[in-house]
Amino acid sequence: MQPISFARSFLSKGLSKSVGRASVASTVLQPAIIIGVLGCAMGVNAQAAVEASTNNNPTNGLQLISLNADEIADENDADNLSNIADMLDVADEPDDSIDSVPDESALTDDADDIDTDIPAEVAQVSLNAISPETLKTFVAVVDLVRRQYVDAVNDEELFSNAMSGMLTKLDSHAEFLDAEAYENLRAFTEGDVGDIGIKVNYRPEAGYWVVTEVIDDSPADKKGIAVGDYLHQVDEFKLDEGRQVNDVEQLLTGIAGTQVDIITSKAGRRKHTTTLQRNNSHPQIIETKLIDGIAIVKLPAFQNNSREKLLEGLINLNAPISGILLDMRDNPGGVLTSAVSVASLFMDDTDVVQVQARQNKSRVLSTQGDAILKPLPLVVLQNRYSASAAEVLASSLQVQKRATIIGEVSYGKGSVQSVIPLNDEQAVKLTVANYMTAAGKQIDEIGVEPDVTLSGSENTWEQQALELVKARALDSGIRFVRKIATKE
C-alpha cells in the first residue's frame, strides 16, 4: 500500500515515532501517491490510477478548435483533454489533500536520497525503547478509565483515541484515520466534500448558535449531537453573533473524511469538545454559465478531473467566449497537481509553486503543454475560505500578472499533508512539507492579498467581478467545440 499525499483543506484540521530506523524507512518514507485533498484508489499504483482515469474519462479523445483558427490543439499535443498523465508525472505520481503534494519520498525520484537521520534535537532519545515509567503511567491511565469511568468503554476505542490524541497534539492537521474516514479521503479525488451532518442558526434570544437539524446516522448524530444543543466553537474559531450562517457552514464543511473539533453544550450544562469526521459527503460540480460573452466558472475544489471538467463546461456553453471569471470562493483546496493542471490552461512554461520538505530541498512544480485559454482575459474571485491549492493557483496567476485577483485575503493554508496507509483500512495523515508561491513568498498564515479588495455582501461580488472582466474582454470571442476525428 502506497502513501497518499495531498495539500489539505484548512477546514479540516504525527508522526508515530518508529521503534527503529528500518521501520521508518519502510513505512513513513515509501513513495507517495499524490491525491486530492485526500484520496486515491486503494491498492493501485500511481500509473494504474492514471491509466484508469484516462480510460474512464468522459472527455477522452476530445480536442478544441476556435472560431478564429483551424485548431488550438493538435491531436498529438499534451492538450488532449484525456492526456493528463504527463502533467501529473511532473509532480510525481498523482494524487492529496488535501490540497495535494507528495510527501518527502515523492519529492525525489530516488528513495535512497531521503534523509532519515534523527534530528539533532532528539538524537539523545532512543527510538527503540520507551521509558518504563512512561509505559507504566499509560497502562495505569487505561486501567483507571476501565474501572472508574462512568460508562463502560471499549479498549479498541481507547487506543484509537490515544493515537488520535498523539497526532493532533503533534500537529493540528495530523489525524489517525479509521476505515470510514480513509475511504472518504480516497473518494475525494472523484469529487466529494463533506460535513458532519448538522444545520445551525443564531438565536438572539438565547445568545448562542443553536443546532436546528441533525441528519440521521451522520457523524454528529452518532456522537450524540442533538437539536437544541449550543454550538460554541469550530476548531479554533469561536462563534458569536458576528458570524454569518455561511461562515459557520464553511467551517463545518471540508474535504470528505477530514476531521473537525466542535465545542457544544446542552443548555445550562458544561461545554465539551467532540471530534468528528466529515463523512456526510456530497459530490462537487464545476458550474459554468455565460453572461454577456463572459464564462463564469465556479470551481468548488480541486480533484483529479478538474481540468477536464472545466474544459468540458466551456465546450458545453456552445458560444463564443471573450473572457473568464474563475470563482474560487469557499474552495478549500484539493489535489495540488490538479491546481497545476488548471494553471497550465492559462500559462505556459511557468513555475506555479515551490514545495519545501524536511530535508530543505525545494521542488518546483511548473505548467505543462500549450496554454489553451491563454488568449482569454481572466479574473479570479476569492474569499477568506479560499485555501491551499486554491491559493497556489491564485498566487501563481497573480505573480505572472496573468489574472487580476479580487475579493478578500484568502485563508493562508500553506502546508502539505501526506496520507500514509497503515493497512487496507487505516492510515495516518501527517504534515510533510510546506509550499510557497513561485516567487518564494510564504502562504501559510498569510494568504493571498487580492489586487482589488471587495467588501460588503458577497452576493454583489460576482457582478463586480463580471464588470471587471467585461472591461478587458476580447473584441471577438473564442468558441470551444469538440473536434471530430477524421480518417485519412
Side-chain angles (χ1 to χ4, degrees), residues 86 113 127 137 230 239 329 355 362 392 409 412 422-423 455 464 486:
D86 290 343
D113 293 337
L127 293 183
T137 301
Y230 293 169
L239 307 184
R329 287 178 293 176
V355 182
S362 291
V392 166
V409 178
L422 301 174
N423 50 52
S455 58
Q464 294 181 64
T486 58

Side-chain angles (χ1 to χ4, degrees), residues 323-334:
I324 295 178
L325 169 57
L326 186 61
D327 188 347
M328 293 198 296
R329 287 178 293 176
D330 303 329
N331 184 319

Side-chain angles (χ1 to χ4, degrees), residues 40-62:
C40 137
M42 181 188 303
V44 181
N45 64 33
Q47 185 60 40
V50 172
E51 291 173 355
S53 173
T54 300
N55 292 337
N56 296 326
N57 194 331
T59 62
N60 198 15
L62 292 182

